[in-house]
Coordinates of all heavy atoms in Angstrom, one line a residue:
Chain V
R53 N 27.9 -98.2 -32.1 CA 28.3 -99.6 -32.3 C 29.1 -100.2 -31.2 O 29.4 -101.4 -31.2 CB 29.1 -99.7 -33.6 CG 28.5 -99.1 -34.8 CD 29.2 -99.6 -36.1 NE 29.7 -98.6 -37.0 CZ 29.0 -97.9 -37.9 NH1 27.7 -98.1 -38.0 NH2 29.6 -97.0 -38.6
G54 N 29.5 -99.4 -30.2 CA 30.3 -99.9 -29.1 C 31.7 -99.9 -29.4 O 32.2 -99.7 -30.6
F55 N 32.6 -100.0 -28.4 CA 34.0 -100.0 -28.6 C 34.5 -101.1 -29.5 O 35.2 -100.8 -30.5 CB 34.7 -100.2 -27.2 CG 36.2 -100.2 -27.2 CD1 36.9 -99.0 -27.3 CD2 36.9 -101.3 -27.2 CE1 38.3 -99.0 -27.3 CE2 38.3 -101.4 -27.3 CZ 39.0 -100.2 -27.3
H56 N 34.0 -102.3 -29.3 CA 34.5 -103.4 -30.1 C 34.0 -103.3 -31.5 O 34.6 -103.8 -32.5 CB 34.0 -104.7 -29.5 CG 34.7 -105.1 -28.2 ND1 36.0 -105.3 -28.1 CD2 34.2 -105.2 -27.0 CE1 36.4 -105.6 -26.9 NE2 35.3 -105.5 -26.1
G57 N 32.8 -102.7 -31.7 CA 32.2 -102.6 -33.0 C 32.7 -101.4 -33.8 O 32.3 -101.3 -35.0
T58 N 33.6 -100.7 -33.2 CA 34.1 -99.5 -33.9 C 35.6 -99.7 -34.2 O 36.4 -99.8 -33.3 CB 33.9 -98.2 -33.0 OG1 32.5 -98.1 -32.7 CG2 34.4 -97.0 -33.8
S59 N 36.0 -99.7 -35.5 CA 37.4 -99.8 -35.8 C 38.0 -98.4 -36.0 O 37.3 -97.4 -36.3 CB 37.5 -100.6 -37.1 OG 37.0 -99.9 -38.2
I60 N 39.3 -98.3 -35.7 CA 39.9 -97.0 -35.9 C 39.9 -96.6 -37.3 O 39.9 -95.4 -37.6 CB 41.4 -97.0 -35.3 CG1 42.2 -98.1 -35.9 CG2 41.4 -97.1 -33.8 CD1 43.6 -98.1 -35.5
A61 N 39.9 -97.5 -38.2 CA 39.8 -97.2 -39.7 C 38.4 -96.5 -39.9 O 38.4 -95.5 -40.7 CB 39.9 -98.4 -40.5
A62 N 37.4 -97.0 -39.3 CA 36.0 -96.4 -39.5 C 36.0 -94.9 -39.0 O 35.4 -94.0 -39.6 CB 35.0 -97.2 -38.8
V63 N 36.7 -94.7 -37.8 CA 36.7 -93.4 -37.3 C 37.5 -92.4 -38.2 O 37.0 -91.3 -38.5 CB 37.4 -93.4 -35.9 CG1 37.6 -92.0 -35.3 CG2 36.6 -94.2 -34.9
A64 N 38.7 -92.9 -38.6 CA 39.5 -92.1 -39.5 C 38.7 -91.8 -40.8 O 38.8 -90.7 -41.4 CB 40.8 -92.8 -39.8
D65 N 38.0 -92.8 -41.3 CA 37.2 -92.6 -42.5 C 36.2 -91.5 -42.4 O 35.9 -90.8 -43.4 CB 36.5 -93.9 -42.9 CG 36.2 -94.1 -44.3 OD1 37.2 -93.9 -45.1 OD2 35.0 -94.3 -44.7
Q66 N 35.7 -91.3 -41.2 CA 34.7 -90.2 -41.0 C 35.4 -88.8 -41.3 O 34.7 -87.9 -41.7 CB 34.3 -90.2 -39.6 CG 33.4 -91.3 -39.2 CD 31.9 -91.1 -39.6 OE1 31.5 -91.8 -40.5 NE2 31.2 -90.2 -38.9
L67 N 36.7 -88.7 -41.1 CA 37.4 -87.5 -41.4 C 38.1 -87.5 -42.8 O 38.8 -86.6 -43.1 CB 38.4 -87.2 -40.3 CG 38.0 -87.1 -38.9 CD1 39.0 -86.4 -38.0 CD2 36.6 -86.4 -38.7

Side-chain angles (χ1 to χ4, degrees):
Chain V
R53 308 199 235 276
F55 179 81
H56 292 295
T58 303
S59 66
I60 54 175
V63 174
D65 204 53
Q66 292 278 107
L67 304 196

